[in-house]
Amino acid sequence: MILAVAAVVSAVACSEDKLSPTSVIVDPINPETDFDKWLEENFRAPYNIRFLYRYEDIESDMTYDLVPADETCSRILAKLIKFLWLDPYTEVADANFMRQNSPRVMPVIGSGAWNTNGTLQLGTAEGGLKITFYVANWLVTQNFLTINYNNGVDTTEGYTVTINSMDDINYYFLHTAHHEFGHILNQNKAYPTDFNLISQNEYVAQWNSITDEEALPRGFISAYASSQPGEDFVEVLSYYITSSDEEWNARLAIAGNEGSEIIERKLNIVSNYMMDSWNIDIDELRSVLARRYGEVESIDWSDFSTEE
């Protein structure tokens, strides 16, 4: 990015003013907070992940009009990502698996990234090193949750959280996390090309013109899965592990006999890939996630104390 600075010079007769030897452009200095220390202990130190909740344009896609993330929303999102993405994989595999395969940079954006075709970008995975999360501010603005500040004071310390829609939180953030992480795993170890052949003549560029209900009978777990094989693969993975039995079976019921048979074939390849390539049983991972979804209410959302 090139920054153009326009200077206005005013000529005044007999002026003897000299240029100041000190630059008037000063980099902002952000004092280290308890949240920063918590991120160091829970993201960077164990996994080498930089969770960027302060807006950095160099880490953002400048083709979109974006809004920085609210700090309290970022704090809540960090807790959710740790509890329902980092910790489950660490529990099923180990910390070394996540240390080797997790992204190195994780920017958080407050607004959505809207594409020219009207679709919303929920996340991106770049080069196996970066996952960007969008719509963080929707946690509050779309009423996914309610932040209850102590004494009604808007502060990043001293508040509780009431979850209003875990389904929305699951879809917009956790499904996205597992989806994008699936791309990273595929970049590190390719999935079997047999997967691409199952629906090879059914992928469509205009995937956004159909609904999930229309995609399911065609053998796609979601409309977006019908866009290309790579997206199809990670959609099957992310929907399966973040869905309850009831939610998954409801999608298969809409798919019907033919559609569900195709989806189950895809799921079998995904399952074998995760076991053969990463020694991860996705049913075990799914069970761990299901347990943790039931424990979300026990999270202390404003506690960012660290071990001394």
Side-chain angles (χ1 to χ4, degrees):
M1 181 185 73
I2 299 176
L3 179 64
V5 179
V8 179
V9 179
S10 176
V12 180
C14 300
S15 172
E16 295 292 331
D17 291 347
K18 297 181 179 180
L19 294 176
S20 169
T22 304
S23 172
V24 297
I25 301 176
V26 180
D27 291 333
I29 298 176
N30 295 303
E32 186 177 54
T33 66
D34 288 344
F35 182 39
D36 293 317
K37 296 174 183 177
W38 183 88
L39 288 173
E40 170 69 20
E41 186 171 286
N42 291 276
F43 279 74
R44 201 212 60 79
Y47 306 114
N48 198 21
I49 297 174
R50 292 167 56 221
F51 186 91
L52 304 180
Y53 68 97
R54 296 185 179 98
Y55 185 81
E56 296 185 17
D57 55 6
I58 195 172
E59 294 291 354
S60 305
D61 191 331
M62 302 301 288
T63 61
Y64 296 106
D65 293 326
L66 302 175
V67 173
D70 172 81
E71 183 171 339
T72 307
C73 288
S74 296
R75 288 172 174 238
I76 293 169
L77 184 58
K79 290 264 187 176
L80 285 166
I81 289 172
K82 179 181 185 299
F83 195 75
L84 292 170
W85 175 46
L86 291 173
D87 289 350
Y89 267 107
T90 299
E91 184 175 338
V92 172
D94 54 38
N96 190 54
F97 166 80
M98 290 305 292
R99 190 176 298 116
Q100 291 180 339
N101 296 288
S102 62
R104 296 296 171 252
V105 184
M106 196 177 293
V108 178
I109 306 298
S111 59
W114 292 96
N115 299 310
T116 55
N117 62 2
T119 58
L120 176 64
Q121 194 95 341
L122 295 181
T124 55
E126 302 175 32
L129 298 175
K130 178 179 177 181
I131 290 180
T132 300
F133 290 94
Y134 295 97
V135 303
N137 294 351
W138 285 21
L139 286 169
V140 172
T141 62
Q142 298 299 312
N143 201 36
F144 296 168
L145 54 79
T146 301
I147 303 173
N148 312 295
Y149 293 101
N150 292 351
N151 302 318
V153 178
D154 185 350
T155 176
T156 54
E157 297 182 7
Y159 56 86
T160 60
V161 171
T162 301
I163 302 294
N164 300 322
S165 178
M166 194 62 210
D167 287 343
D168 283 325
I169 291 173
N170 191 40
Y171 175 73
Y172 284 100
F173 302 107
L174 304 169
H175 171 80
T176 297
H178 290 284
H179 174 110
E180 301 300 344
F181 188 51
H183 280 310
I184 289 177
L185 295 180
N186 292 166
Q187 290 165 7
N188 291 339
K189 294 183 181 181
Y191 63 80
T193 55
D194 289 352
F195 183 94
N196 301 347
L197 303 178
I198 298 176
S199 296
Q200 62 179 331
N201 298 319
E202 301 297 324
Y203 294 105
V204 292
Q206 299 301 319
W207 61 269
N208 56 307
S209 65
I210 63 173
T211 64
D212 286 0
E213 288 72 18
E214 294 170 325
L216 284 160
R218 304 180 191 181
F220 298 107
I221 199 62
S222 69
Y224 189 45
S226 69
S227 62
Q228 55 180 288
E231 301 298 342
D232 194 4
F233 188 96
V234 296
E235 281 286 270
V236 171
L237 171 64
S238 56
Y239 265 104
Y240 183 71
I241 62 178
T242 62
S243 298
S244 65
D245 284 337
E246 292 76 15
E247 291 166 338
W248 181 258
N249 290 335
R251 284 185 173 268
L252 294 185
I254 296 172
N257 291 335
E258 184 175 352
S260 60
E261 188 274 333
I262 294 172
I263 292 170
E264 293 286 8
R265 284 173 60 195
K266 293 176 179 177
L267 177 61
N268 185 58
I269 293 178
V270 170
S271 178
N272 289 337
Y273 162 81
M274 291 296 288
M275 177 57 72
D276 296 342
S277 297
W278 303 107
N279 197 32
I280 290 177
D281 182 336
I282 61 172
D283 287 308
E284 181 185 358
L285 178 60
R286 189 175 185 231
S287 178
V288 169
L289 272 166
R291 187 194 77 234
R292 285 178 168 269
Y293 278 121
E295 298 170 348
V296 165
E297 295 290 351
S298 67
I299 296 175
D300 189 336
W301 301 99
S302 65
D303 180 13
F304 291 94
S305 57
T306 56
E307 296 182 3
E308 296 297 334

